[in-house]
Amino acid sequence: MTLLRDLFSIVAICAGGFFFLAGTVGLLRFPDMLTRLHALTKADNLGLGLIVLGLLPRVGSVLGGVKLVAVWALALLASACVSQVAARMGRLRDEP
Amino acid sequence: MSLGLDLLLAALMLGLAGWTVLGRDMFAAIAAFIAYGLLLGIVWVRVGALDVALTEAAVGGGVTGGLLIAAWARLRATAMVERKAGAGLAVLAALASLGVAVLLAAVVLHLPQPAPTLVPEAMANLAPTGLGNPVSATLMAWRALDTLLEKLVLLLALLGIWSVAPDAAWGARPAASVDRDGALTFLAQFLPPVGVVVGIYTVWTSADAPGGAFQGGTILAAMWLLAVRAGLADLPRVASRWLRLALVAGPAVFLAVGLAGFVLAGHFLAYPEAVAKPLIVLIEAPMILSIGVSLALMVAGPPVPKGDA
């Protein structure tokens, strides 16, 4: 059972790490701002989400798990709103 | 494994530090500096100093980053960003930095083994303070004078920022750049209730776990500035009596409790053992307000004449 739990954690955290890596590569290599934002928000949403998912079986208490999920939800909210604002600012700058 | 992580962190820190100093673009340097502050927070976690890590992330990364970006925006309007420091000044700054680095390295390398520590003494004397977190006990009880002076420095810094305002602007509001965007409005309506609770919790929990007034105050300041940015809240006039009261409430209560210590416990800033915890809470409550308001107004900048606001 512990082995299965550890395996789940390892797979989820590695997958999360992969999305962060892919998001960073996208941020550096994609041609314009909108596609870069797209790459960046994938890192936040999926990368952080998978890492939180992988950590959930390892927290000792329910409250600790709820805090982890809350961290992910807040990051999700902030990244979604901020990327909207950044995209609009960028468009205003490019097409005055 | 952990050595590899530490080496990677150290390499990243050095790289970011180099980017901050050598970067040609001032905005990129500021972005690197903010990342540097956040990464430094992780370094503090690695050495087990969670309280410092929270402060570093909130103040070193967050507030300082906000201050630098605000300064950059102001400088950009005056084309000062283009001006580069002369070669002589750059060499002087490099030599001074090198001197500090060499001195620090010498001190760290010559620490006696094992390093001197007050930890056993601190843990033994923790009970009378009514706190469970030795870092908070140090800040609020054993070295309370340092903490009091720290808050006064914050007020002085704000006065320094206000003092660069032109005469015509005195008493008016700081300039608020408002962005009435749907997504931002949503964030500014949704996040502050959560942030205010988290900020106050951060102070409350510092009695027994990592946290503190500076970290909590930073979160409150960020929530206020978010609402201002979205056009949902106003910055106060710097002459406003309520504002002045909010700014001095923290240091004033701290000072009053400190003076009361002469009568109640025989020393300045001494607490009678029976009410140590309630007194510390009494100091912290107005303090988080004062810190939050001062930090927000520092980032907001000096007041501007009425027409320009």
Side-chain angles (χ1 to χ4, degrees):
Chain A
M1 200 54 212
T2 358
L3 180 74
L4 209 64
R5 206 182 57 185
D6 286 353
L7 208 64
F8 174 78
S9 286
I10 291 170
V11 170
I13 291 172
C14 285
F18 169 76
F19 274 103
F20 268 104
L21 189 69
T24 309
V25 172
L27 179 68
L28 293 174
R29 302 296 302 171
F30 278 167
D32 61 21
M33 195 192 56
L34 291 182
T35 47
R36 283 179 183 175
L37 276 176
H38 167 78
L40 203 57
T41 43
K42 290 306 148 294
D44 287 344
N45 302 356
L46 283 165
L48 186 61
L50 283 166
I51 287 175
V52 165
L53 194 68
L55 289 176
L56 276 184
R58 316 188 75 77
V59 288
S61 62
V62 176
L63 191 63
V66 171
K67 280 183 188 168
L68 271 182
V69 174
V71 165
W72 176 61
L74 284 174
L76 211 62
L77 175 77
S79 91
C81 292
V82 168
S83 57
Q84 287 281 333
V85 174
R88 199 177 57 95
M89 292 290 231
R91 288 187 82 157
L92 284 178
R93 192 190 57 191
D94 294 343
E95 346 169 336
Chain B
M1 180 65 204
S2 67
L3 179 70
L5 183 64
D6 288 344
L7 285 176
L8 187 72
L9 268 176
L12 273 172
M13 296 288 305
L14 284 176
L16 275 172
W19 192 357
T20 308
V21 175
L22 301 172
R24 290 180 183 282
D25 180 7
M26 198 184 275
F27 190 79
I30 294 172
F33 181 79
I34 295 173
Y36 180 86
L38 293 176
L39 211 61
L40 192 53
I42 299 180
V43 172
W44 284 117
V45 173
R46 290 293 302 159
V47 296
L50 292 180
D51 294 83
V52 189
L54 280 172
T55 315
E56 183 59 49
V59 180
V63 176
T64 317
L67 278 173
L68 287 174
I69 290 178
W72 172 80
R74 242 169 268 265
L75 284 178
R76 197 173 51 157
T78 60
M80 281 280 283
V81 201
E82 314 296 330
R83 225 170 70 182
K84 288 270 179 277
L89 191 63
V91 169
L92 211 63
L95 282 178
S97 310
L98 197 70
V100 171
V102 167
L103 276 178
L104 270 178
V107 168
V108 169
L109 291 176
H110 284 87
L111 276 180
Q113 286 290 348
T117 176
L118 289 172
V119 169
E121 219 172 324
M123 295 314 284
N125 289 299
L126 198 52
T129 64
L131 301 173
N133 179 0
V135 176
S136 292
T138 308
L139 290 175
M140 296 309 299
W142 304 319
R143 301 296 307 171
L145 184 63
D146 295 5
T147 312
L148 174 62
L149 292 177
E150 232 171 55
K151 315 296 151 154
L152 292 176
V153 165
L154 210 56
L155 275 187
L156 285 178
L158 184 62
L159 284 183
I161 290 173
W162 283 359
S163 66
V164 302
D167 276 358
W170 186 245
R173 296 168 202 277
S177 66
V178 174
D179 180 12
R180 288 182 208 282
D181 173 62
L184 195 64
T185 309
F186 171 71
L187 191 65
Q189 283 171 335
F190 189 91
L191 204 55
V194 182
V196 168
V197 172
V198 172
I200 293 174
Y201 171 78
T202 307
V203 183
W204 178 254
T205 196
S206 71
D208 296 304
F214 248 101
Q215 297 90 323
T218 307
I219 299 176
L220 293 189
M223 293 305 118
W224 190 17
L225 289 175
L226 176 64
V228 168
R229 174 86 186 147
L232 299 175
D234 275 329
L235 288 167
R237 296 187 311 111
V238 300
S240 148
R241 193 163 297 276
W242 285 112
L243 172 65
R244 302 287 176 89
L245 266 177
L247 285 174
V248 299
V253 170
F254 207 151
L255 209 56
V257 172
L259 289 174
F262 277 124
V263 183
L264 298 172
H267 295 287
F268 182 55
L269 281 172
Y271 317 125
E273 206 176 310
V275 288
K277 173 86 189 274
L279 278 180
I280 289 174
V281 173
L282 178 74
I283 293 171
E284 294 254 43
M287 196 54 94
I288 179 180
L289 179 73
S290 293
I291 291 176
V293 173
S294 341
L295 290 178
L297 286 173
M298 280 164 84
V299 175
V304 292
K306 241 188 183 137
D308 306 353

